Amino acid sequence: MTVSYPDDNSFRTDDDQYMQTSPGSGSDFYHRRDSLSHIYAEKDQYHGNSMTESGTGLTHNLPNNRTHVEDAAADLLALRYLQQSEMPNTMSQVSVPPPGNRHVLLEVDRTHAVQHGIFDDRQDGIFLPGSVFQEFHSTLRDHLIYTARSNCPTRVCTPELQPPEHIFTERLVSRGEGEDIEPESTGHSRPPEITPQREYILWKTWIDELAPWLDKFDNNRHFEHKIPMMARKTPHLRNSILALSARQIEMKENSKSSSESLALYQEAIHLLLPELQSKDTAVIASCVILCVLEMMSCSPKEWRRHLEGCANLLEAVGINGFVGGVEEALFWCFARMDLCGALISQDITLIPVTRWASNVDFSSDIKLFQNPVNGFDTYANYAVFMCANCVAYLKAYKEWSLETRESRWLELVNLLEDWYLERPEEMKPILTISLLEGEIHRPFPTVLYGNGPAVSGNQLYHTAILLMLQERPGSLQIQRKLKSTFWHARQICAISESNTHHGAWTNSIQPIWIAGKVMSHPSEHEAILNILERIERETGWVTSWRREDLKAWWGDCDD
């Protein structure tokens, strides 16, 4: 079977009308990208991560605290599982070489793996080049991109698109022996050994902690109500959910072992790869949930690489923010991660914001979000959409004419101010306590909201407007009165300090970083660092890298 690469523009052929906007309309941003290689640029070198600080230890309230002996036993169990596993060859009809740029760990001493951190790296994340986690991720990513591209029309005489091989840990070298140990050739693996009681704990973690994170902009709570029911009949989805739950527990407990989540992560991928071509809702759900696991565990500087495969697949199947049901919930879960990755890398989102809504033009997108029949959760998604548009503006505006730059800036800022002024009642605070009415030494006001969409949606509004105010065209005259960058920065910090919604906290790390750079008083610095430390301690989501970045920015490294 011969498969050709799709034309680079084949993903964008339906979007040409986005380019046909009148000069000065403010919609010139809606360009079609020149090539897929520009959209999903590969980074072969992994940065040294600044996540050098471990989270504060915490005794978890679940009855499963692990001892060092149990950690070692779990590591040995995972090693045995890796030896006995062989990924199914979903592309068996094609004989292909491995990708040329893959760095595969072919010689791993079993004892060395346990003692020196293949499963146990807390400094730079668990997805280091050459690690087992990284090889699983790379294989899934390659297959996602292959599956997405094979969905598109091809042209004659383009280079052949080769399905990737399953090559991550097929050979482990035993100590003192020079021969490869081949996995069993039976074609199926031994599932992770999880007791019913342990599975109960993992599912409780999903229901009580993780599903509310992912449902924070979804009043219908699809991750809590619908996706677990799908998982009962879909093994790869079940293992994806359990893997994420295991990883969250490991990180919250500051566990020295990641073997449980690794075994479940591998099993999920093992079961998922043969199903990728179906591109059904369960497949998309597994891919998004595994993305969340990777975002929790990898270097933040590498978020975009970990999101690329799923972004390709979502685009290929045409899922956007208004398809309805579970798929809409999956899209917005991914879109929030995509936006966080764009804020970290100071780049555009992997799924172009032009494809998030109407797929027609910017004004049509806005009409969809402003439809009065929408719930307030859609209004929170509107804030995500506007923030993504602001990030895109900041990436591109220096190449525009002054007239286009000013027109687009005004358009976005006016829409943001309208968003704030026209919020539904559910998106407004329940209680505010100004600094004059509160404690004298309190650096931020109190702003309490009643639900996740309000918490995170308002914080993203403040983040977007803050970024735009920092890049205001100098000669531009503005009719409406705008708040200062400092006011918006204080609101960002106040929201995270006043509201303890864990799902909103996981999306607040980058907004807090953006706001923190505006602050100058030591009391503000201390409060911000305390907020970030509490987020890591209570959710397991690593914030130490941003704490260190802020201390370096402020010059407080020795404090």
Side-chain angles (χ1 to χ4, degrees):
M1 180 180 72
T2 301
V3 185
S4 299
Y5 280 110
D7 182 277
D8 284 342
N9 292 325
S10 61
F11 286 94
R12 305 285 180 263
T13 52
D14 297 332
D15 264 5
D16 287 348
Q17 59 267 43
Y18 270 59
M19 302 171 62
Q20 299 169 2
T21 55
S22 58
S25 68
S27 297
D28 300 74
F29 158 68
Y30 282 78
H31 301 303
R32 184 176 68 187
R33 235 73 67 81
D34 290 336
S35 73
L36 280 174
S37 61
H38 175 70
I39 300 169
Y40 303 122
E42 294 219 358
K43 298 176 183 177
D44 290 327
Q45 298 299 322
Y46 278 66
H47 302 288
N49 187 8
S50 55
M51 264 194 280
T52 56
E53 201 174 304
S54 298
T56 302
L58 178 70
T59 302
H60 200 273
N61 57 6
L62 294 173
N64 64 311
N65 294 323
R66 287 181 167 182
T67 65
H68 293 296
V69 174
E70 290 171 319
D71 285 342
D75 282 330
L76 292 173
L77 172 62
L79 276 171
R80 183 181 69 180
Y81 176 63
L82 293 176
Q83 280 183 256
Q84 295 176 341
S85 300
E86 180 179 19
M87 300 298 299
N89 189 352
T90 60
M91 306 297 177
S92 59
Q93 70 271 33
V94 183
S95 178
V96 294
N101 65 344
R102 177 69 56 80
H103 303 289
V104 184
L105 186 64
L106 295 178
E107 297 184 358
V108 180
D109 185 294
R110 294 186 192 83
T111 306
H112 183 86
V114 173
Q115 293 178 345
H116 298 284
I118 291 296
F119 305 117
D120 191 14
D121 191 286
R122 295 289 296 171
Q123 298 297 316
D124 294 314
I126 56 177
F127 287 91
L128 292 173
S131 70
V132 179
F133 264 109
Q134 174 60 21
E135 293 308 324
F136 294 156
H137 154 69
S138 295
T139 296
L140 176 59
R141 173 182 173 275
D142 290 349
H143 279 80
L144 285 170
I145 292 174
Y146 170 79
T147 301
R149 292 184 178 181
S150 65
N151 187 56
C152 298
T154 62
R155 295 192 309 180
V156 179
C157 299
T158 52
E160 288 191 354
L161 175 62
Q162 301 285 13
E165 283 189 315
H166 307 288
I167 54 178
F168 23 87
T169 51
E170 290 184 306
R171 290 178 293 177
L172 294 174
V173 180
S174 61
R175 175 170 292 185
E177 299 178 9
E179 298 180 358
D180 289 345
I181 297 179
E182 298 293 340
E184 293 178 356
S185 58
T186 58
H188 51 264
S189 64
R190 181 173 181 172
E193 298 175 5
I194 300 178
T195 65
Q197 181 61 23
R198 182 61 180 170
E199 183 170 352
Y200 164 79
I201 291 171
L202 295 178
W203 274 111
K204 280 285 290 178
T205 299
W206 173 265
I207 295 167
D208 296 342
E209 184 74 11
L210 294 171
W213 289 11
L214 308 181
D215 280 332
K216 62 175 166 283
F217 281 18
D218 181 9
N219 291 344
N220 292 317
R221 295 157 65 183
H222 287 91
F223 281 93
E224 181 180 353
H225 296 162
K226 298 292 185 181
I227 289 179
M229 298 301 101
M230 294 167 57
R232 293 174 64 184
K233 300 178 181 179
T234 313
H236 63 75
L237 182 54
R238 170 183 169 273
N239 279 274
S240 298
I241 289 171
L242 297 181
L244 177 56
S245 296
R247 187 65 189 142
Q248 195 271 338
I249 291 172
E250 290 165 358
M251 296 189 71
K252 185 172 179 179
E253 294 180 346
N254 201 21
S255 172
K256 293 185 177 181
S257 172
S258 55
S259 301
E260 182 178 49
S261 62
L262 173 60
L264 289 163
Y265 179 72
Q266 184 199 10
E267 181 69 4
I269 294 174
H270 173 91
L271 296 167
L272 176 61
L273 291 183
E275 305 296 327
L276 280 181
Q277 289 293 337
S278 72
K279 305 183 186 75
D280 63 13
T281 302
V283 164
I284 303 297
S286 285
C287 292
V288 170
I289 290 168
L290 292 176
C291 274
V292 178
L293 182 153
E294 294 178 11
M295 295 305 96
M296 286 190 70
S297 308
C298 74
S299 163
K301 303 297 192 298
E302 296 299 331
W303 270 32
R304 287 174 72 82
R305 180 174 177 84
H306 284 266
L307 294 171
E308 281 174 342
C310 195
N312 272 269
L313 188 60
L314 286 167
E315 277 208 88
V317 299
I319 292 177
N320 64 27
F322 287 90
V323 294
V326 174
E327 291 185 345
E328 181 175 318
L330 291 169
F331 175 85
W332 285 113
C333 179
F334 182 87
R336 293 191 298 269
M337 292 189 288
D338 198 359
L339 175 59
C340 287
L343 288 168
I344 290 170
S345 61
Q346 299 181 2
D347 206 338
I348 55 179
T349 52
L350 289 169
I351 299 180
V353 71
T354 57
R355 286 184 170 264
W356 284 24
S358 71
N359 212 17
V360 178
D361 56 25
F362 185 64
S363 65
S364 298
D365 292 347
I366 297 301
K367 288 177 182 177
L368 279 176
F369 284 108
Q370 293 181 344
N371 189 331
V373 304
N374 292 337
F376 68 90
D377 51 350
T378 301
Y379 207 76
N381 291 332
Y382 184 18
V384 181
F385 172 80
M386 288 304 303
C387 193
N389 273 279
C390 292
V391 170
Y393 167 86
L394 296 173
K395 178 68 176 178
Y397 78 92
K398 293 181 180 178
E399 301 177 3
W400 298 349
S401 68
L402 179 60
E403 180 184 1
T404 300
R405 183 187 311 176
E406 291 181 347
S407 173
R408 182 63 174 167
W409 191 94
L410 275 175
E411 182 180 33
L412 291 173
V413 169
N414 284 331
L415 283 168
L416 285 167
E417 289 301 286
D418 291 343
W419 183 96
Y420 188 73
L421 294 173
E422 297 170 8
R423 289 172 296 171
E425 288 300 312
E426 298 91 341
M427 297 293 289
K428 296 177 181 178
I430 296 173
L431 174 69
T432 59
I433 306 175
S434 71
L435 291 177
L436 295 177
E437 299 168 352
E439 297 84 0
I440 190 170
H441 298 298
R442 187 164 51 94
F444 305 123
T446 297
V447 186
L448 179 65
Y449 291 97
N451 56 79
V455 175
S456 198
N458 279 279
Q459 191 171 55
L460 284 175
Y461 153 75
H462 290 294
T463 302
I465 197 73
L466 172 58
L467 290 171
M468 295 299 286
L469 289 172
Q470 289 175 331
E471 298 298 332
R472 172 180 170 180
S475 59
L476 185 61
Q477 298 297 318
I478 306 173
Q479 297 298 320
R480 65 198 307 172
K481 186 176 180 180
L482 301 175
K483 299 280 191 179
S484 68
T485 57
F486 185 65
W487 184 83
H488 288 289
R490 291 169 71 87
Q491 289 294 307
I492 291 170
C493 298
I495 288 171
S496 284
E497 187 176 56
S498 306
N499 300 271
T500 59
H501 188 290
H502 286 187
W505 266 355
T506 63
N507 267 33
S508 71
I509 298 167
Q510 193 62 17
I512 292 172
W513 151 254
I514 292 168
K517 292 192 294 182
V518 178
M519 304 299 176
S520 59
H521 196 275
S523 65
E524 295 165 342
H525 297 177
E526 182 181 4
I528 290 170
L529 294 177
N530 288 340
I531 293 168
L532 290 172
E533 190 277 332
R534 186 182 178 190
I535 291 171
E536 180 167 334
R537 184 177 69 248
E538 294 191 18
T539 69
W541 201 283
V542 176
T543 65
S544 55
W545 66 288
R546 272 312 186 205
R547 297 203 303 271
E548 295 305 313
D549 287 347
L550 281 171
K551 287 193 283 186
W553 179 272
W554 298 325
D556 294 348
C557 295
D558 298 327
D559 292 354

